[in-house]
Amino acid sequence: MTQDLQSDGAQGAPWRVIAAIAAFGVAVRAVLLLWASPLEIQSDESNYLYLAAALQHFGVYLDQQRYLWPPAYPWLLGEAIGAFGADGLQVVRWMQVAASSVIGVMTMLFAWRLISRRAAAVAGILWVIHLPLGAYTHLLWSEPLFLALLLPALWHLLRALDVADGELQGSVTRRLLASGVLFGLALYVKEWPLFLLPLVSVVVLVRSLRVGVADAVARATLVPLVALVVTMPWTLRNHEVYGRVVVAGATLGENAHVGLNARYMNFDLNALRKVRLSRGLDSLETRSRRAFVAAPAAEPGSGGSGPGWTRRDDIVHPIDRQKAHVAAGIEYALDHPGWAVRTRVKKLSDVVTPMSFFTRTYAMDRYPPDSPLSGGLRAPLVLYALSFSALLMLLAAAGYFFTLPGGSGRDIVTVTIAYVLATALLVAMSRFRAPIEPFLIVLAAGFLAHGPATRSVPRAVGMAITVLALAGLWWVSLPETVEVARMAMGGGS
């Protein structure tokens, strides 16, 4: 079976199939956008627009006191509003629908390169019907633009590692340069890949040692160096404004305040608080299993849900305040190690939850009442989105352990997934799983297309552990998931 996969994967990419499926997927997302319009903005969408308005009308890009976000997405919103007025937001949504084609094509290319032509077709179908991922195209979040840059960056990195020893060095260098440029552009959208860069550089280093240590080091450092060069104008701007080196954004301190603090907060649930209060319902956080969210009872007067530590609003400088918050969060975690461990379990549960922004939007009752999304399709689509996300993770685990061949592709997939899980230990929600959704599709497609291509006791044990871990993590957040599903299907009530 492994030889069959290698033979299949050695053939050229099925471009006609990829193009046809990508076009169909874009059409599906276009229909979703039409059905979802008009759609109210909420949560960080408002913050993006605030930054866009300030940049468009006053020529100043602001931090938000608690955050400094990379500028690309607010800039895009501002330019669209400046050019098209109130219709600019809808123009951006249509741009996101178009950008989704890149995500679909790259997902199928990864499936082709890592597994087979057959897996590429299956991956394309899964991408088309993945509504939780597709819904980002009609929401004003930066995920479509970000993934349209991140996935090609990882693709060129992988293709650079694919180049045989006998091929020209220039072909490797061009791929690495392209990867670095795309990583740099992605950093203008989200700072998330910043610490992924050194990890993928280690993969490049190890995989390139066969050509010599000096050349391996040169290859490994090229991608992060190029990315830093691309972000240099923004870095210099930040140094001029703040007197500090800020490569992409500054959010770590505020995330530490949320994630390394006594009060449990998940922004999937936090966005629903006002909806529930307006209906006289309790906060969803009160339904969380206390063993995984309660604050250390040893805090004076905490009763197990104390305040922890407060923001250092006395520090005026926003970047210095971020650093102080990181230090405070680490200190709090070290002072309460038992709490730190059990709350990290909850964070992992929050990132692998089958909930999504698609179901959250339903729970907030934001889709137009006269839309097909709000009619008889409502309950089936909510149940479909929840079950699809859960099943995709299970199938992806099977694909990872039983179908995905070894090599540089497996290394990149492993590092990227591990990076998402590691960052989720600080602060987590369903949105933070988006960067690896395409890889989950690839892995699931591989298993669906070929079944278990490799059988071994260690892989079977790894699969069993992963399934048990997923089941346990879903159980941890089951009370909130059930209630969100009930809200989503019942019109937010």
Side-chain angles (χ1 to χ4, degrees):
M1 178 69 76
T2 302
Q3 291 179 348
D4 292 340
L5 292 183
Q6 292 173 344
S7 176
D8 190 5
Q11 301 179 48
W15 285 110
R16 289 185 179 180
V17 173
I18 288 175
I21 295 177
F24 182 53
V26 170
V28 170
R29 284 149 179 77
V31 170
L32 282 176
L33 174 55
L34 292 173
W35 285 357
S37 302
L39 190 64
E40 294 182 36
I41 62 172
Q42 48 91 13
S43 301
D44 281 347
E45 292 176 309
S46 303
N47 292 324
Y48 282 129
L49 289 175
Y50 172 78
L51 296 175
L55 183 60
Q56 181 68 21
H57 292 287
F58 304 109
V60 177
Y61 188 79
L62 305 173
D63 62 74
Q64 297 170 277
Q65 186 185 21
R66 298 177 182 176
Y67 295 108
L68 171 62
W69 285 344
Y73 197 65
W75 173 84
L76 177 63
L77 290 173
E79 291 298 307
I81 293 172
F84 301 99
D87 294 332
L89 301 186
Q90 199 70 354
V91 170
V92 171
R93 292 187 176 104
W94 281 111
M95 291 175 63
Q96 292 176 165
V97 170
S100 71
S101 64
V102 178
I103 301 171
V105 168
M106 295 311 306
T107 300
M108 287 181 272
L109 284 178
F110 271 109
W112 160 70
R113 159 58 187 85
L114 297 179
I115 304 173
S116 71
R117 291 163 63 93
R118 192 191 319 169
V122 176
I125 294 171
L126 292 178
W127 167 75
V128 169
I129 64 176
H130 191 348
L131 297 185
L133 181 61
Y136 284 110
T137 57
H138 60 253
L139 301 172
L140 290 178
W141 302 84
S142 58
E143 268 62 26
L145 179 61
F146 174 67
L147 289 178
L149 294 168
L150 175 68
L151 292 177
L154 291 170
W155 171 255
H156 283 292
L157 184 71
L158 174 60
R159 296 304 284 168
L161 295 176
D162 280 344
V163 175
D165 291 341
E167 294 194 29
L168 294 176
Q169 173 72 20
S171 63
V172 178
T173 303
R174 285 194 296 272
R175 291 285 189 178
L176 293 175
L177 285 171
S179 178
V181 169
L182 288 163
F183 267 118
L185 294 175
L187 284 168
Y188 276 98
V189 182
K190 292 174 74 73
E191 66 177 296
W192 181 86
L194 185 60
F195 297 107
L196 178 62
L197 282 169
L199 296 180
V200 296
S201 293
V202 172
V203 174
V204 175
L205 176 65
V206 173
R207 286 284 170 182
S208 302
L209 285 175
R210 65 183 184 276
V211 301
V213 175
D215 286 341
V217 171
R219 290 183 181 183
T221 55
L222 186 57
V223 173
L225 286 177
V226 171
L228 291 177
V229 169
V230 172
T231 59
M232 187 60 67
W234 177 244
T235 304
L236 292 175
R237 175 268 181 192
N238 290 334
H239 190 271
E240 180 180 358
V241 173
Y242 299 106
R244 306 289 187 273
V245 176
V246 181
V247 175
T251 64
L252 187 59
E254 182 61 20
N255 287 335
H257 181 263
V258 172
L260 291 175
N261 214 335
R263 180 189 175 192
Y264 166 70
M265 184 180 295
N266 175 353
F267 289 104
D268 276 329
L269 309 181
N270 192 51
L272 301 174
R273 180 176 291 120
K274 290 183 179 179
V275 177
R276 294 183 66 82
L277 287 176
S278 67
R279 290 166 170 78
L281 301 173
D282 60 342
S283 171
L284 283 170
E285 286 86 351
T286 62
R287 296 172 180 260
S288 301
R289 301 189 191 277
R290 287 187 57 78
F292 298 96
V293 300
E299 288 191 4
S302 69
S305 59
W309 54 277
T310 57
R311 290 187 180 90
R312 291 293 309 276
D313 290 331
D314 58 306
I315 301 177
V316 177
H317 197 290
I319 309 304
D320 291 347
R321 189 187 309 114
Q322 294 279 336
K323 295 178 181 179
H325 286 177
V326 171
I330 293 174
E331 181 181 3
Y332 188 84
L334 292 176
D335 288 343
H336 307 92
W339 164 89
V341 171
R342 57 187 171 83
T343 52
R344 294 319 96 183
V345 174
K346 179 58 175 170
K347 297 299 179 184
L348 289 175
S349 176
D350 290 340
V351 81
V352 301
T353 174
M355 288 191 295
S356 64
F357 272 28
F358 186 57
T359 53
R360 190 181 84 163
T361 304
Y362 265 122
M364 298 175 73
D365 207 20
R366 291 300 177 94
Y367 287 121
D370 57 347
S371 165
L373 293 175
S374 299
L377 291 177
R378 182 185 192 117
L381 286 177
V382 170
L383 289 175
Y384 169 79
L386 289 167
S387 58
F388 184 93
S389 293
L391 183 60
L392 182 67
M393 284 182 262
L394 291 173
L395 289 172
Y400 181 83
F401 287 106
F402 297 135
T403 311
L404 182 65
S408 54
R410 187 181 183 90
D411 291 345
I412 290 176
V413 170
T414 301
V415 165
T416 306
I417 293 176
Y419 181 70
V420 165
L421 296 178
T423 56
L425 294 174
L426 178 59
V427 60
M429 61 191 302
S430 63
R431 181 191 180 196
F432 295 166
R433 194 174 64 246
I436 58 170
E437 294 280 10
F439 287 136
L440 297 182
I441 291 173
V442 169
L443 296 172
F447 187 76
L448 289 174
H450 300 284
T454 303
R455 295 179 176 88
S456 69
V457 172
R459 287 176 181 264
V461 171
M463 177 64 184
I465 292 173
T466 302
V467 170
L468 290 174
L470 281 173
L473 292 172
W474 289 338
W475 173 84
V476 169
S477 295
L478 183 61
E480 303 100 297
T481 302
V482 170
E483 183 62 12
V484 171
R486 190 185 69 81
M487 292 179 65
M489 289 188 289
S493 60

